[in-house]
């Protein structure tokens, strides 16, 4: 079974998904970050494919992408780094990036490589649902790659239901109308929106992302969804670290309140 | 018309709307309403009146006698430089501000390269009393300083884009990010035929006034409504599509689009997208763009801020693919030379962007009985600092 589906069958609460940009802070940190996150208690990992023009991202992820590219990261190299990742961890892995990277790699070669590597899903923010359904759904399904779609406070109910109907893993609930990046608090308006979605009884589980940065925002998000996604705050935790392993352990422990193993 | 966008938002295989979900409601709203609004009689009335009384249209079609003698042919200049604010860009911003008002938007954002689109946007916002924020690459803010000052005087806030090469591509990224963060009250006035569908079509509709007038003026001046050649420069491609649009189906008219090749097509410092690029996605649209094998968008270079863009509008990708338009290019130094030539021979200082179109005269042999229209997309006041460095030419 696809590892994402498996995760949500066994867990319905406090799921922590962590995003990082491949190639940041150092070119060869990728497997260390994944293995340490996995050991420290993260439930799901989103590996960012750095892109020169990340439209949906705020300053933190823009900056990490720029540095990753300067370090020499590419999609080809990322697949090389991940070649043996399934020997060390069984955590669900999602690739997150922009469609142009996939197109230039070659859509079918990309999917094949994902399958070989043990990638479970994709988040491609600039691949809209209609283009996905018309041109990509069949090939992604052939390689058992789950596509995760976003909904936002501006997404109306009928579209939410549509997105639920074409999804088969989880729905990425964007917490506010914004690019990625940590904000400190979750407002009442956001809570209302989370509650509304929660009451819709969608068939897919939901993870809340954008602006989740610490234990407090993680816990309040988890009241309304199966879990939450942290990106920018995690990137910041990796910045200027002496030992990224230590920083990662501390970060996950702080959020989930677990002891590192 | 066979070159118009199809019902799915594509020109052949180019175009579409590759946008994050955060922009879906805005783009849907535009898609559902733009044709209805633009074709409504009250819109058309207000648009036409403003173009006439405020912008100063129709712009003249001027027979450049001395330039024609020099090249031993017949050269006409479509004088978009005589528009209010000094370039074709205002044709689009007048249209889009009227569209924004009818969509109930209270805040306007725009990107700008040369600053002409920024000035044209700031101008219509002043005219309508609407808040205006313009994103401009830091590099461009330096090389087009007079336009930064104009935007500020017009009451716009100019926000520097500090990523990448700090030019037009980066300013466009920032404007799109602003829109993601302000989806409800804001309208994004894109400055060229780029971006997600329906923007390329909207901008085409507003700029097509150029060739609409050209047909009438050609008939009056020559007894024939079409020239043998139309030449225009291409950054994203808005002045070019404006000058070409009503001639697209008349294949007797040779259409020449001129990109900036910077220090030379193969110098690594160029913006000649159609020579160097391949299909991909930039700013929400599938088109031809400059990129490496990993799909990273390459930093373009041109002396001209308005042509310093690594893509072209999807309609141009299609017109190039179908060979309806012949794409050529001109270097920095060819453009400078052409600008000085027009200035000295006709007393018209063109924008650096326009100078690239003019440079084709030196590189192409035209016959004595042929007629050529060059679209003078803008005037050169903003480029004086660059021009004056080459005064010894
Ligand atoms: C005078 C002038 N011409 C041409 C351009 C290029 O834009 P487009 O290709 O959309 O006409 C610009 C852009 O700033 C401009 O200011």
């Amino acid at each position: 079974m696809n590892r994402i589906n498996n995760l949500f069958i066994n867990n319905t609460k406090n799921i922590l998904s962590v995003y990082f940009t491949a190639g940041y802070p150092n070119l060869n940190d990728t497997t260390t970050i994944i293995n340490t996150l996995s050991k420290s208690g993260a439930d799901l990992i989103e590996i960012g494919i750095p892109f020169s023009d990340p439209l949906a991202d705020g300053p933190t992820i823009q900056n990490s992408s720029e540095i990753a590219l300067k370090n020499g990261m590419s999609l080809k190299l990322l697949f090389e780094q991940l070649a043996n990742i399934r020997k060390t961890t069984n955590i669900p892995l999602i690739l997150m990036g922009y469609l142009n990277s996939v197109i230039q790699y070659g859509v079918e070669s990309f999917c094949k490589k994902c399958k070989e590597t043990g990638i479970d899903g994709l988040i491609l923010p600039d691949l809209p649902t209609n283009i996905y359904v018309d041109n990509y759904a069949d090939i992604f399904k052939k390689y058992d790659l789950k596509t995760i779609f976003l909904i936002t406070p501006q997404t109306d109910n009928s579209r939410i239901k549509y997105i639920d109907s074409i999804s088969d893993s989880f729905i990425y609930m964007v917490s506010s109308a914004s690019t990625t990046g940590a904000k400190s608090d979750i407002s009442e308006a956001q809570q209302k929106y989370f509650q509304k979605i929660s009451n819709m009884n969608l068939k897919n589980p939901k993870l809340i992302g954008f602006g989740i940065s610490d234990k407090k925002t993680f816990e309040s998000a988890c009241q309304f969804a199966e879990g939450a996604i942290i990106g920018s705050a995690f990137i910041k935790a990796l910045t200027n670290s002496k030992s990224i392993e230590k920083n990662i352990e501390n970060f996950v422990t702080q959020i989930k309140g677990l002891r590192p193993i | 018309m066979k070159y118009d966008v199809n019902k799915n938002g594509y020109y052949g295989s180019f175009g579409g709307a590759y946008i994050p979900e955060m922009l879906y409601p805005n783009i849907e709203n535009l898609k559902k309403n733009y044709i209805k609004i633009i074709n409504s009689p009250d819109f058309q009335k207000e648009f036409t009146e403003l173009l006439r009384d405020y912008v100063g249209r129709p712009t003249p079609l001027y027979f450049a006698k001395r330039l024609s003698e020099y090249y031993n042919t017949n050269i006409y200049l479509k004088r978009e430089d005589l528009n209010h604010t000094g370039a074709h860009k205002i044709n689009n911003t007048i249209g889009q501000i009227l569209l924004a008002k009818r969509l109930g938007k209270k805040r306007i954002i725009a990107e700008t390269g040369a600053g002409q689109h920024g000035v044209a946007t700031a101008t219509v916002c002043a005219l309508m009393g609407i808040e205006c924020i313009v994103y401009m690459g830091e590099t461009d803010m330096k090389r087009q300083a007079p336009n930064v000052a104009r935007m500020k005087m017009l009451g716009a806030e100019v926000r520097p884009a500090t990523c990448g090469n700090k030019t037009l591509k980066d300013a466009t990224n920032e404007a799109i990010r602003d829109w993601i963060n302000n989806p409800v009250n804001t309208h994004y006035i894109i400055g060229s035929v780029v971006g997600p569908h329906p923007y390329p079509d909207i901008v085409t509709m507003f700029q097509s006034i150029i060739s609409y007038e050209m047909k009438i003026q050609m008939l009056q001046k020559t007894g024939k409504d079409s020239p043998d050649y139309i030449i225009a420069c291409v950054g994203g491609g808005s002045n070019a599509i404006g000058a070409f649009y009503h001639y697209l189906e008349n294949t007797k008219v040779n259409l020449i689009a001129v990109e900036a090749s910077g220090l030379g097509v193969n110098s690594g410092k160029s913006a000649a997208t159609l020579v160097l690029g391949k299909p991909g996605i930039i700013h929400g649209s599938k088109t031809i763009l400059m990129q490496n094998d990993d799909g990273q968008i390459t930093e373009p270079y041109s002396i001209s801020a308005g042509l310093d863009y690594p893509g072209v509008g999807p309609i141009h990708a299609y017109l190039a693919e179908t060979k309806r338009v012949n794409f050529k290019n001109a270097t920095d130094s060819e453009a400078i030379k052409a600008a000085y030539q027009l200035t000295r021979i006709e007393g018209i200082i063109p924008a650096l962007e326009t100078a690239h179109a003019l440079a084709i005269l030196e590189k192409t042999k035209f016959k004595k009985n042929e007629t050529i229209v060059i679209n003078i997309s803008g005037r050169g006041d903003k480029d004086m600092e660059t021009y004056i460095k080459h005064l010894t030419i």
Side-chain angles (χ1 to χ4, degrees):
Chain A
M1 182 192 266
N2 182 289
R3 293 177 199 84
I4 304 172
N5 296 133
N6 197 42
L7 169 69
F8 285 100
I9 286 176
N10 296 312
N11 290 279
T12 51
K13 269 202 181 105
N14 298 329
I15 290 174
L16 173 63
S17 179
V18 178
Y19 168 95
F20 74 98
T21 307
Y24 180 87
N26 304 297
L27 183 60
N28 294 314
D29 287 338
T30 312
T31 52
T32 311
I33 293 174
I34 294 171
N35 288 321
T36 315
L37 274 172
S38 167
K39 273 187 238 149
S40 308
D43 301 294
L44 202 161
I45 298 174
E46 297 169 19
I47 307 166
I49 306 165
F51 183 52
S52 55
D53 295 77
L55 282 184
D57 287 301
T60 307
I61 294 179
Q62 281 175 46
N63 184 255
S64 65
S65 303
E66 200 173 332
I67 292 173
L69 291 174
K70 276 200 190 118
N71 288 343
M73 187 42 86
S74 68
L75 185 50
K76 195 160 160 271
L77 179 60
L78 177 59
F79 280 130
E80 283 168 25
Q81 292 178 341
L82 294 175
N84 294 312
I85 197 69
R86 285 307 175 200
K87 292 191 178 143
T88 51
T89 178
N90 206 35
I91 193 167
L93 294 174
I94 291 172
L95 287 185
M96 178 159 183
Y98 290 81
L99 186 57
N100 201 47
S101 304
V102 177
I103 293 177
Q104 297 316 318
Y105 194 91
V107 178
E108 180 117 30
S109 324
F110 172 82
C111 293
K112 246 189 214 149
K113 205 73 192 171
C114 283
K115 181 77 187 161
E116 274 170 40
T117 309
I119 300 295
D120 305 289
L122 303 173
I123 304 177
L124 301 167
D126 60 346
L127 174 60
T129 54
N130 60 329
I131 299 175
Y132 162 77
V133 169
D134 291 348
N135 302 323
Y136 292 88
D138 290 346
I139 186 154
F140 288 179
K141 278 178 192 153
K142 179 171 154 198
Y143 292 95
D144 195 27
L145 291 166
K146 306 291 179 187
T147 308
I148 293 99
F149 292 103
L150 278 56
I151 60 172
T152 84
Q154 271 73 47
T155 314
D156 65 32
N157 286 2
S158 70
R159 185 157 172 84
I160 292 171
K161 285 184 189 141
Y162 171 69
I163 288 173
D164 190 39
S165 77
I166 61 167
S167 300
D168 172 30
S169 54
F170 69 91
I171 288 175
Y172 193 138
M173 255 170 93
V174 173
S175 67
S176 64
S178 71
T179 43
T180 54
K183 294 195 193 76
S184 56
D185 259 321
I186 289 182
S187 70
E188 236 168 83
Q190 282 171 293
Q191 294 196 14
K192 268 204 190 123
Y193 152 64
F194 297 159
Q195 190 62 54
K196 178 190 99 170
I197 306 296
S198 175
N199 293 344
M200 284 179 78
N201 291 318
L202 302 176
K203 77 174 167 90
N204 286 278
K206 303 158 300 293
L207 297 182
I208 296 177
F210 287 33
I212 311 301
S213 59
D214 53 14
K215 187 176 168 67
K216 191 170 144 231
T217 43
F218 178 74
E219 285 179 349
S220 59
C222 287
Q223 289 170 19
F224 303 96
E226 281 77 357
I229 302 165
I230 301 187
S232 296
F234 180 68
I235 304 265
K236 282 182 190 154
L238 294 177
T239 305
N240 300 325
S241 60
K242 284 209 194 72
S243 151
I244 58 168
E245 281 104 325
K246 259 253 103 29
N247 284 34
I248 294 170
E249 276 176 22
N250 288 343
F251 188 86
V252 176
T253 309
Q254 261 175 34
I255 305 276
K256 286 204 84 172
L258 300 173
R259 300 225 143 265
I261 311 154
Chain B
M1 209 244 309
K2 85 175 194 205
Y3 297 102
D4 277 330
V5 76
N6 69 23
K7 66 175 185 353
N8 296 321
Y10 285 84
Y11 305 88
S13 63
F14 300 109
Y18 293 80
I19 44 154
E21 186 62 29
M22 289 79 99
L23 292 179
Y24 178 84
N26 283 0
I27 293 293
E28 266 313 285
N29 188 25
L30 265 180
K31 235 163 64 181
K32 273 203 200 102
N33 294 305
Y34 80 103
I35 290 183
K36 198 170 63 200
I37 292 176
I38 294 172
N39 287 338
S40 71
D42 76 298
F43 182 99
Q44 280 301 322
K45 180 166 182 289
E46 200 177 350
F47 184 52
T48 311
E49 281 175 10
L50 280 171
L51 287 184
R52 186 189 63 214
D53 302 336
Y54 186 73
V55 175
R57 300 205 73 93
T59 58
L61 183 72
Y62 164 70
F63 177 65
K65 185 158 168 284
R66 296 188 65 213
L67 194 65
S68 297
E69 278 165 9
Y70 184 86
Y71 286 108
N72 198 23
T73 187
N74 306 288
I75 302 170
Y76 290 82
L77 307 179
K78 180 62 174 157
R79 300 290 308 275
E80 293 301 302
D81 60 314
L82 293 179
N83 282 327
H84 179 43
T85 71
H88 68 293
K89 297 283 180 186
I90 198 157
N91 303 330
N92 170 44
T93 61
I94 293 272
Q96 286 213 43
I97 199 77
L98 298 179
L99 183 59
K101 264 179 48 180
R102 283 160 177 79
L103 293 169
K105 301 291 181 171
K106 306 277 183 260
R107 178 176 176 271
I108 295 294
I109 53 170
E111 86 296 338
T112 196
Q116 286 303 124
H117 175 60
V119 168
T121 304
T123 298
V124 297
C125 287
L127 178 67
M128 299 294 169
I130 297 181
E131 182 187 357
C132 178
I133 290 129
V134 179
Y135 290 89
M136 188 170 189
E138 246 180 4
T139 308
D140 292 340
M141 287 180 73
K142 288 198 193 101
R143 58 178 164 171
Q144 308 277 228
N147 275 345
V148 176
R150 290 168 80 196
M151 286 184 267
K152 287 184 179 164
M153 183 163 173
L154 286 159
E157 182 187 338
V158 183
R159 293 191 188 160
T162 56
C163 276
N165 262 15
K166 309 176 176 57
T167 60
L168 181 54
K169 165 176 86 84
D170 313 294
T172 309
N173 287 337
E174 286 306 324
I176 294 174
R177 290 185 187 118
D178 182 308
W179 210 23
I180 288 174
N181 283 284
N182 300 283
V184 180
N185 67 344
T186 300
H187 176 70
Y188 176 21
I189 301 191
I190 289 189
S192 192
V193 284
V194 300
H197 173 68
Y199 274 108
D201 194 36
I202 291 175
V203 180
T204 299
M205 287 171 91
F206 294 145
Q207 291 294 359
S208 66
I209 182 86
I210 300 173
S211 49
Y212 177 82
E213 289 173 1
M214 206 189 283
K215 273 181 101 163
I216 299 168
Q217 293 166 325
M218 279 300 296
L219 187 64
Q220 283 168 353
K221 289 197 190 311
T222 69
K224 225 178 109 195
D225 75 353
S226 57
D228 296 298
Y229 290 88
I230 301 172
I231 306 174
C233 67
V234 172
S238 69
N239 88 86
I241 203 62
F244 297 164
Y245 186 81
H246 289 283
Y247 294 104
L248 286 173
E249 290 195 311
N250 180 353
T251 50
K252 286 201 200 93
V253 183
N254 296 289
L255 305 174
I256 300 177
V258 188
E259 294 190 294
S261 50
L263 302 185
V265 170
N266 296 314
S267 65
K269 292 219 148 250
S270 167
T273 305
L274 278 159
V275 186
L276 301 167
K278 50 187 175 176
I281 290 160
I282 181 169
H283 298 141
S285 174
K286 187 179 250 183
T287 185
I288 307 287
L289 58 131
M290 288 163 51
Q291 54 186 318
N292 68 16
D293 291 340
D294 190 38
Q296 309 299 340
I297 300 175
T298 330
E299 298 293 351
Y301 163 81
S302 164
I303 194 171
S304 139
L307 305 184
D308 199 351
Y309 185 70
V312 289
I315 189 167
H316 287 290
Y318 182 56
L319 291 169
E321 185 188 66
T322 56
K323 300 201 159 55
R324 176 64 192 99
V325 171
N326 186 0
F327 274 79
K328 302 193 176 213
N329 52 72
T331 62
D332 288 359
S333 61
E334 288 166 343
I336 297 269
K337 241 187 239 158
Y340 267 88
Q341 184 193 41
L342 186 73
T343 305
R344 296 284 165 86
I345 224 172
E346 294 285 351
I348 297 170
I349 303 179
L352 257 174
E353 290 75 20
T354 314
H356 289 74
L358 291 159
I360 293 306
L361 290 173
E362 218 19 75
K363 310 205 301 181
T364 313
K365 191 92 197 83
F366 296 103
K367 297 197 186 93
K368 191 170 169 46
N369 61 350
E370 285 177 331
T371 53
I372 298 140
V373 177
I374 300 174
N375 197 37
I376 305 299
S377 58
R379 66 181 187 224
D381 309 35
K382 68 187 178 59
D383 300 308
M384 286 319 299
E385 200 181 312
T386 307
Y387 283 147
I388 216 72
K389 285 185 196 143
H390 297 84
L391 195 56
T392 50
I393 214 159

